Amino acid sequence: MSKPQPAINALSARLLQIGDKWKNKVIKGVPIPVSTTNLARGKKKDVYILSMFPYPSGMLHMGHLRVYVISDSLNRFYQQKGHKVIHPMGWDAFGLPAENAAIERKINPHVWTEQNIEKMKEQMNNMLANFQWDREVKTCDPNYYKFTQWIFLQMFKKGLAYRKEAEINWDPVDKTVLANEQVDTKGRSWRSGAIVEKKMLRQWFLGITKYADSLLHDLVHLKEWPENVKNMQRNWIGASKGADISFVTNHPQLDKITVYTTRAETLPVVQYLALSWNHPLVTKFAAADSKLEEFVKSVPSLPRNSKSGYKIEGLNAINPFNEKSIPVFVAPYVIADYGTENSKDSAVKNEDEPIRVGAAVMGCPGHDQRDYDFWTTNMPGIPVETCVEHGFVKELINGKPATSGPFPYILDIGSMKENSGKYSGMLTLDARTQLVEDFSKIGVAKEVTKTKLRDWLISRQRYWGTPIPVIHCDSCGTVPVPEKDLPVLLPEIKDIPKKGGNPLEHIPEFVNVKCPSCGHDAKRETDTMDTFIDSSWYYFRYLDSKNKDLPFDPSKIQEHMPVDLYIGGIEHAILHLLYSRFVSKFMGTAGMWDHETNEPFKQLVTQGMVHGKTFTDPQDGRFLKSDELEVKDSEWIIKDTGAKPVVTYEKMSKSKYNGINPDECIKQHGPDATRAHMLFQSPIAEVLKWDETKIVGVERWLDRLVRLCKTMGESATKFTQEYVKPNENDEAEVEFSNNIEKLSRRVTDSFEMYLSLNTVISDYMKMTQLLEVSQRDQKVREELIMQNLKRLVTQLYPVAPSISEECASLLKAEQPLLENWNQYEWPTRNPIVNWKYQRYQVVINGRSKFWFVDERDLFKKGKDYVCERLLLLPDGKRFLTNRTYDKLVLKYNIVNFTFKKKKGPPTGKETLTGKNKNL
């Protein structure tokens, strides 16, 4: 939250005027083709710089300003370096927020979305963002979602797009599926507030798990991704090595039950099996057991950590290790879509058959806390069995070392007990390996690697999304819409009903169609796709956004992919990036492009969030609005109570009243100062604490630079384009030129190598200071100052383009010989100039006495010559005449004397001598 905006002062007004003056020019990017003299060899590959596209909510926030200033600054830098830069922009335009907004306003979401896009485009222009609008995409445009549907159909043909029954979050009020992120910690719908139900619903999935190995393995190739993002991806995929172990049952008509475990060494003490509520065996037994049926119905509403269970009467499993009969439970804690399918009962005859995956896990109360809690709740009084010794391991149970207690909670270290048969005495890791190997030979176990990753559920029971292009026919089953009939268009709906599920279901002309296979009456799929689908391939479409026949021309992708720089928030580090990587790899296997790994993004830049100043009432912790506060004696106080609010910096949000509209800052301080201040406040990857009060320092610097350019442009000296070499005999010129050169090189490296854009601003300021001092002190030729001032004006362009334009205009105004100066071409490196002389320090008995200037190679001429030169200097005569030194060291630029202590008064005849040598 910022304090109420004061009237615009004269300084800000000048910068605002400059921004308005050059706005229309600078949003078009570098206007003059840059020569290729800066390029090391031949034609340079285009540079693809991409920032994550926004959802058109109607208002860009400060987070948007940050990411677009970063990407635009890099875009302009590479343009100046002679690259052809691809820097597009578009809109992630489908989704629930637009539909909700349309319901509230009683308009079509398309109308609301288009209005917002126009507003946000203007905001982007206000921040001087140079995007290539000829490449623009809108995910709600039929010309775009036609190919979202095309990609779906390619996956359908490959068996990667399929439909099955799955457990979902169901909002009973709005009658729609909710993503996990739309359910709060109390289990309530984020929109209606209703308690979310768990239910089985036939849904569409994409087989991302088929690509789990490459998604995991290829992270090692992403050398230019932040390590924390790669770790998040690894953890989300969650690969683990284990084994499938089969348990036969006592029921002659049932298949064996197969479980997956990472702790095969605990098989000797498996005391029960637990099935998910939707397991095929549970369904079979529930048909004949009304109590089990009631329990199954209650499971979806129970918490995941529930200890309740239902023992299936008449069904026992046989532990393959010791032939013991063990009970089989239905347990809420078993995740419904995790585990191993029952091969017989889940066999799929066609795409419309429900795939009942279900899950089964083995229960080892002696070696797992959750299993222990479940066992002691459902089988009280039955002893817990263990097969692993504590040994020297001391794991924590309830905060205390597990040296004693009901069971040893051991992870990977320990030794097997006597009840482990041939494995007794073995270390757990060795026993695990050997047991799987032995039981694999008899068909009971199989070594496998599994992941936490689940196939991607893409169905949404909403209107505003990409229609899924399939038709359901009673005769033919699920039939894909022919490619020639794409896109399947969303019908226009003026007023979307507030409740009642997906309105597409109630539009006969949309639902009722002919089967494209047999011609009989059929029904169109009414689910629409998750909007993550839309954003999973847009980076491809930018490269060929007008293509009417294909999503893109593979030759264009081959030329420009992968994206060189992808910039966006850390909050998208998992799902969006994972889905984009999956779709990109699929497009590679589908022959649409060919790269070593088919990874879409070469370098990933994740900027930190923008936090705003936040005020809370110290009495009740309530967030305070700006109109509840006032400033007295330079301090904030609460109007009603006079108390000082608690001031913190937190993520900007409407609920905290700490959000800031970027346009307000731009209108107050101008676009260039706003851009520079945004970059200056924090390194890219760190959280930025937005403090608008400090922008005045940036404003003053920019104003000083403009004034300096005006002064230099009006100089009586007629400057030329010829290179001015600093005078090697002139210390001031050499020092000035070298300091500017070092800063200039750092600016280049900060853009090109380190992405340290906050230090770019500080280096700009240092260059400005050097130029001002040199112009004021007149110790450096004006030609040399002008040469380096032009250099700064050019290097300023990526961050503050309109100020750069103004400065260039002022320099050229009265200098006709600079008319052909290409102010946009990034400067090449100049050599560091060595001053012909050097400063030396004289140290006597550890104390510095004086400095002198002499030839750079003075020390190479020997100690005798150095002494002779010193005795010619006034300070040398003063400190050195008639003295005998014990030791003389010449090192770096230091002349270091050690003198003997004199005995008796000077004779007046002593000379500076070395040991046993008269100099």
Side-chain angles (χ1 to χ4, degrees), residues 24-25 101 127 156 190 395 397 464 514 602 703 722 905:
N24 291 334
K25 181 178 182 180
M127 65 177 72
F156 185 84
W190 71 282
E395 298 291 341
I397 300 178
W464 192 237
K514 297 294 182 181
K602 181 182 178 183
D703 189 59
E722 295 181 8

Side-chain angles (χ1 to χ4, degrees), residues 61-70 608 610 652 662 665 671-684 688 690 695 698 757-758 761 799:
H61 52 66
M62 295 302 282
H64 290 122
L65 175 66
R66 190 179 194 192
V67 68
Y68 300 146
V69 168
I70 292 168
V610 180
M652 291 184 179
C665 186
D672 299 89
T674 301
R675 287 166 61 108
H677 184 55
M678 175 63 76
L679 295 179
F680 188 41
Q681 280 194 289
S682 172
I684 289 175
L688 187 156
W690 181 256
I695 199 172
V698 172
L757 302 191
N758 59 315
I761 309 301
V799 172

Side-chain angles (χ1 to χ4, degrees), residues 868-884:
E868 289 175 9
R869 297 291 292 175
L870 287 171
L871 290 171
L872 296 175
L873 302 172
D875 283 334
K877 293 176 181 178
R878 175 186 172 193
F879 289 105
L880 301 173
T881 300
N882 298 327
R883 301 188 69 179
T884 301

Side-chain angles (χ1 to χ4, degrees), residues 294-534:
E294 287 300 315
F295 181 79
V296 168
K297 289 180 180 179
S298 72
V299 168
S301 62
L302 295 175
R304 285 290 188 203
N305 61 355
S306 171
K307 298 172 187 175
S308 8
Y310 188 95
K311 184 176 178 295
I312 301 178
E313 296 300 328
L315 178 63
N316 289 304
I318 309 301
N319 188 328
F321 184 86
N322 50 28
E323 303 279 320
K324 287 184 178 180
S325 178
I326 58 176
V328 179
F329 285 88
V330 181
Y333 72 78
V334 182
I335 300 173
D337 61 349
Y338 181 80
T340 308
E341 295 183 73
N342 180 291
S343 59
K344 178 180 177 180
D345 294 301
S346 64
V348 183
K349 296 179 180 178
N350 62 60
E351 293 87 346
D352 284 329
E353 288 283 342
I355 304 177
R356 297 272 188 183
V357 177
V361 297
M362 62 188 204
C364 298
H367 299 293
D368 184 272
Q369 180 73 55
R370 181 194 59 190
D371 294 355
Y372 177 81
D373 293 339
F374 183 85
W375 180 257
T376 53
T377 299
N378 293 278
M379 301 291 283
I382 306 298
V384 169
E385 300 177 13
T386 64
C387 64
V388 179
E389 297 279 9
H390 288 289
F392 56 89
V393 181
K394 294 183 179 180
E395 298 291 341
L396 291 180
I397 300 178
N398 298 326
K400 297 180 180 180
T403 53
S404 61
F407 66 96
Y409 185 68
I410 297 174
L411 297 177
D412 287 332
I413 303 174
S415 59
M416 304 299 293
K417 294 171 65 175
E418 292 182 359
N419 61 348
S420 303
K422 63 181 283 189
Y423 310 103
S424 299
M426 294 178 66
L427 293 176
T428 51
L429 294 178
D430 295 335
R432 181 181 307 167
T433 302
Q434 190 62 50
L435 188 147
V436 173
E437 183 179 325
D438 292 344
F439 279 78
S440 294
K441 293 175 181 177
I442 59 174
V444 172
K446 179 182 178 182
E447 186 176 0
V448 294
T449 298
K450 293 200 174 185
T451 66
K452 292 188 297 183
L453 184 66
R454 294 289 167 263
D455 278 349
W456 180 5
L457 192 162
I458 64 165
S459 292
R460 295 293 179 268
Q461 290 68 40
R462 307 296 303 199
Y463 163 72
W464 192 237
T466 298
I468 294 177
V470 295
I471 292 169
H472 303 290
C473 174
D474 291 339
S475 300
C476 305
T478 300
V479 181
V481 171
E483 289 182 21
K484 66 180 179 62
D485 294 336
L486 297 181
V488 176
L489 293 170
L490 273 178
E492 289 290 330
I493 301 178
K494 291 184 179 180
D495 295 324
I496 300 174
K498 188 172 183 180
K499 294 184 175 69
N502 187 353
L504 292 177
E505 296 176 348
H506 309 294
I507 304 176
E509 56 270 30
F510 177 80
V511 174
N512 298 321
V513 293
K514 297 294 182 181
C515 173
S517 179
C518 69
H520 292 157
D521 290 344
K523 300 289 185 182
R524 192 184 298 281
E525 174 63 65
T526 57
D527 279 359
T528 54
M529 296 189 207
D530 176 13
T531 55
F532 273 121
I533 294 277
D534 306 318

Side-chain angles (χ1 to χ4, degrees), residues 638-785:
I638 303 172
K639 289 180 181 178
D640 290 345
T641 64
K644 292 181 181 179
V646 176
V647 182
T648 58
Y649 280 89
E650 299 186 32
K651 180 182 175 182
M652 291 184 179
S653 69
K654 292 179 181 179
S655 63
K656 297 176 182 177
Y657 312 113
N658 63 351
I660 296 174
N661 182 348
D663 275 355
E664 293 179 2
C665 186
I666 291 170
K667 289 176 182 177
Q668 188 70 28
H669 305 285
D672 299 89
T674 301
R675 287 166 61 108
H677 184 55
M678 175 63 76
L679 295 179
F680 188 41
Q681 280 194 289
S682 172
I684 289 175
E686 295 181 11
V687 168
L688 187 156
K689 295 181 178 180
W690 181 256
D691 187 350
E692 200 167 315
T693 61
K694 296 179 180 178
I695 199 172
V696 65
V698 172
E699 289 182 304
R700 288 170 180 165
W701 155 59
L702 290 174
D703 189 59
R704 283 172 24 228
L705 179 56
V706 171
R707 290 174 181 271
L708 176 61
C709 289
K710 180 175 177 58
T711 300
M712 290 297 296
E714 293 174 348
S715 170
T717 304
K718 297 305 174 185
F719 301 103
T720 68
Q721 285 285 81
E722 295 181 8
Y723 174 70
V724 180
K725 184 178 180 180
N727 184 353
E728 293 181 358
N729 295 320
D730 189 322
E731 181 183 11
E733 286 202 353
V734 169
E735 184 179 16
F736 167 76
S737 296
N738 287 347
N739 286 338
I740 290 284
E741 178 62 27
K742 290 173 184 177
L743 289 168
S744 177
R745 291 183 183 186
R746 278 198 352 187
V747 167
T748 301
D749 290 345
S750 293
F751 275 112
E752 201 164 32
M753 297 173 61
Y754 307 117
L755 291 183
S756 179
L757 302 191
N758 59 315
T759 62
V760 164
I761 309 301
S762 61
D763 287 340
Y764 286 157
M765 293 176 173
K766 291 172 185 175
M767 291 170 75
T768 304
Q769 177 72 11
L770 286 171
L771 289 161
E772 286 179 318
V773 170
S774 297
Q775 191 270 338
R776 182 183 66 234
D777 294 349
Q778 299 182 353
K779 293 181 180 180
V780 176
R781 284 173 291 161
E782 276 198 321
E783 290 84 354
L784 196 58
I785 296 173

